[in-house]
Amino acid sequence: MQAMFHRPDLPTADLAWLNSSEKGFASLGEAFATPTEPTPLPAAHWVGCNDALRGALGLPTDLWEQQEALELFSGNRLTANQPIYASVYSGHQFGQWAGQLGDGRALNLGAIHTPEGLQEFQLKGAGPTPYSRRGDGRAVLRSSIREFLASEAMHGLGIPTTRALCVTGSPAHVRREEIETAAVVTRVAPSFVRFGHFEHFASNGQIEELRALADHVVTAHFPELQEKQGADRYVALLHEVTQLTAALMAQWQAVGFCHGVMNTDNMSVIGLTLDYGPFQYLDGFDANHICNHSDHQGRYAYARQPQIAYWNLFCLGQALMPLIEEQAPALAALESYKQSFPEAMDQRMRDKLGLTGAHEGDRALAEALLQALQKDHVDYTVFWRRLSVAVRESAQSAQAFEPVRDLFMHREVFDAWCIRYLDRLGPANRQSTGDAMLRTNPKYILRNHLGELAIRQAKTGNFAMVQDLWQVLHAPFDEHPTYEAWAGLAPEWASSIEISCSS
């Protein structure tokens, strides 16, 4: 693939915080990182700014007042001392081998040292790259706002994720299903390496590049594995990625998060939630819910996500086989998922239910609850929050569970389950148990209709709801009296919102 090089007329940003010789992933060379210039956007402006992340990264307090920063994050300037590049990867999409893919609309600004450790910065939507596959390399305001909010929502929930530092917008037109305006998200993560990076070099027989990539990931993210030699190192790497993926899937399932497009090129090797496209948090509980309008076969339905992650891990394992060689240790590393995911899921459900210790019937109790929620399509987030409050108040009130019962059409089913549940809770201190549950079960999630309302306002040039939503989602377990309505049931029109891969 022919590299694209910087144009001499694109101005250079000389921001002090970017003055770093650390290249991160780019240090692997042009087989991995293709120098690529951004394509400028006219009349750039701020849409959303993540000041909490700015502070955590140790970036200047006046960052949002710096015109140079606005231009840099819009793709209108180059960095002074950092390589700007797009990376190549391949992958399986919807279960089929898709061949070479790559950063079709993402440009990496390089890495800097921060109080959070080494962090990679990436512009999503800054124009075409050598891997755009005839695309324009742009992102639209709609999808950029969704990713900005979703990243912070997941972080607020304590779920590993890439972060979004800011969104910038422009009146420039972009054609998707209709004409929309352009935007750029600045994403931040310790690494953007995907399963698909390994698949790319394995599929092309580039074994030395495959080894270099694996060694880079070990050195940068799993330093405790460096003492291992030969195949043992790569088996251990596969095992660690398997464990991180199992833990991530349990967190997704517990909070009711649907990713929508779990292709291998959208899976992070360090266990982050990566690439927010047609995602959704469940409203009414439906284990078979498909959030991606483009997923006609339901491959990525909510209940199938853990199994799909396991399938994707096997693709990663296959890609690592040239380094591992023997099948048995690779299979053992992958098979650990079968124990790790159920154990992680059981613990997540115990936490949500306020249960201490591990009892033999806990999984059956949780499964019976999910069946009851499924039967009446009870709102998932509202149920857990009301249950938490009910447990806290049940020591003082015999009517504490009435607001929970009100969510069910088949109240007798809930009543029967509740008897089992309270028996399992036993003589626990209900006040402290309920308080712990309130710190586990969020009050606020990024519901589709809230994102849609923020997007509609933003299209008129009003970004207030974007910033207000960010503020609430940053602390989703807290009370936000001004925004109490955002914690309520989704309106009927929310079910008509369609999200697809272009979202």
Side-chain angles (χ1 to χ4, degrees):
M1 183 68 68
Q2 184 67 36
M4 298 169 61
F5 295 97
H6 303 319
R7 294 184 312 199
D9 59 336
L10 203 60
T12 299
D14 193 22
L15 301 171
W17 60 270
L18 273 175
N19 291 333
S20 168
S21 61
E22 179 61 61
K23 294 184 178 181
F25 182 83
S27 65
L28 289 169
E30 290 194 14
F32 303 85
T34 305
T36 305
E37 64 178 18
T39 303
L41 274 176
H45 55 80
W46 298 112
V47 172
C49 301
N50 188 339
D51 206 53
L53 179 57
R54 177 208 58 74
L57 296 175
L59 303 185
T61 56
D62 66 344
L63 186 67
W64 315 125
E65 300 169 16
Q66 296 181 15
Q67 185 66 25
E68 269 199 318
L70 173 61
E71 298 297 333
L72 175 70
F73 295 142
S74 303
N76 295 344
R77 287 180 181 266
L78 306 177
T79 56
N81 297 302
Q82 296 280 25
I84 299 181
Y85 65 90
S87 71
V88 63
Y89 47 82
S90 298
H92 286 82
Q93 298 192 325
F94 290 90
Q96 303 297 318
W97 177 244
Q100 180 180 293
L101 302 166
D103 288 329
R105 53 179 176 161
L107 287 176
N108 297 271
L109 299 181
I112 67 169
H113 291 283
T114 77
E116 300 288 309
L118 194 68
Q119 298 287 322
E120 303 262 359
F121 285 71
Q122 190 177 83
L123 302 182
K124 183 176 180 180
T129 78
Y131 311 110
S132 293
R133 293 185 296 167
R134 298 181 299 279
D136 58 16
R138 289 298 186 196
V140 296
L141 182 65
R142 164 177 51 95
S143 63
S144 300
I145 288 173
R146 281 173 56 83
E147 175 148 356
F148 175 72
L149 294 174
S151 300
E152 195 60 21
M154 293 296 265
H155 178 72
L157 292 166
I159 300 176
T161 178
T162 59
R163 304 288 300 278
L165 179 63
C166 61
V167 179
T168 65
S170 165
H173 285 173
V174 177
R175 179 178 293 277
R176 291 295 182 264
E177 286 88 349
E178 59 184 13
I179 298 296
E180 302 184 57
T181 57
V184 177
V185 182
T186 299
R187 305 198 291 190
V188 182
S191 174
F192 290 97
V193 176
R194 307 152 183 265
F195 289 13
H197 280 97
F198 290 89
E199 289 186 285
H200 176 77
F201 294 107
S203 66
N204 287 295
Q206 295 175 273
I207 308 307
E208 289 312 307
E209 287 82 357
L210 178 67
R211 190 184 310 277
L213 176 63
D215 288 341
H216 165 78
V217 170
V218 166
T219 300
H221 307 293
F222 304 98
E224 68 279 7
L225 304 182
Q226 285 185 277
E227 62 184 27
K228 296 183 179 294
Q229 301 297 317
D232 289 347
R233 173 183 291 189
Y234 309 116
V235 171
L237 173 61
L238 181 59
H239 181 268
E240 290 298 316
V241 177
T242 298
Q243 296 302 299
L244 289 172
T245 304
L248 182 66
M249 291 304 106
Q251 289 176 288
W252 284 9
Q253 299 303 107
V255 80
F257 175 75
C258 308
H259 185 279
V261 59
M262 289 177 63
N263 298 330
T264 58
D265 57 295
N266 291 337
M267 298 292 292
S268 161
V269 296
I270 61 170
L272 303 180
T273 309
L274 177 68
D275 282 351
Y276 292 92
F279 70 86
Q280 184 180 0
Y281 295 86
L282 293 175
D283 289 325
F285 184 79
D286 179 4
N288 300 311
H289 181 68
I290 303 165
C291 72
N292 182 354
H293 184 64
S294 307
D295 184 7
H296 305 296
Q297 303 302 316
R299 177 179 176 82
Y300 299 135
Y302 166 75
R304 299 190 67 184
Q305 291 183 142
Q307 181 61 33
I308 292 296
Y310 186 49
W311 191 92
N312 288 343
L313 284 164
F314 267 80
C315 293
L316 175 63
Q318 185 64 40
L320 286 169
M321 284 309 297
L323 307 181
I324 296 174
E325 297 182 346
E326 294 186 14
Q327 189 176 72
L331 285 175
L334 292 166
E335 290 295 292
S336 68
Y337 185 91
K338 290 183 177 179
Q339 179 177 350
S340 297
F341 170 73
E343 288 180 350
M345 193 69 215
D346 286 347
Q347 186 57 55
R348 290 286 167 186
M349 296 306 289
R350 280 193 292 268
D351 291 343
K352 292 178 76 66
L353 289 165
L355 305 178
T356 56
H359 290 195
E360 184 178 348
D362 288 350
R363 184 177 298 177
L365 181 68
E367 289 175 351
L369 170 60
L370 295 179
Q371 290 169 9
L373 296 177
Q374 174 85 29
K375 187 178 183 68
D376 291 338
H377 284 198
V378 174
D379 188 280
Y380 191 69
T381 301
V382 171
F383 166 80
W384 285 109
R385 194 69 179 187
R386 286 193 187 181
L387 184 69
S388 305
V389 173
V391 169
R392 185 182 63 180
E393 296 181 353
S394 62
Q396 287 79 37
S397 172
Q399 306 301 314
F401 287 91
E402 288 303 310
V404 189
R405 294 182 76 242
D406 289 344
L407 295 170
F408 292 81
M409 293 179 61
H410 297 83
R411 294 186 175 184
E412 71 282 359
V413 175
F414 171 75
D415 290 342
W417 175 85
C418 196
I419 291 171
R420 294 172 58 189
Y421 171 54
L422 293 178
D423 181 63
R424 171 64 177 89
L425 271 182
N429 183 312
R430 297 287 177 84
Q431 176 74 39
S432 60
T433 298
D435 287 342
M437 292 171 67
L438 288 170
R439 294 190 296 270
T440 301
N441 297 312
K443 182 168 184 174
Y444 298 92
I445 56 169
L446 179 56
R447 295 181 184 270
N448 265 356
H449 75 279
L450 296 177
E452 178 65 20
L453 290 173
I455 289 165
R456 290 178 185 177
Q457 287 190 16
K459 287 181 176 180
T460 69
N462 180 357
F463 308 120
M465 188 172 177
V466 172
Q467 209 63 44
D468 289 345
L469 259 180
W470 169 86
Q471 192 70 40
V472 170
L473 296 170
H474 181 68
F477 302 98
D478 295 349
E479 299 290 337
H480 299 275
T482 303
Y483 304 104
E484 185 70 24
W486 292 354
L489 300 171
E492 287 190 15
W493 63 267
S495 61
S496 66
I497 299 173
E498 293 186 350
I499 47 177
S500 66
C501 291
S502 71
S503 298

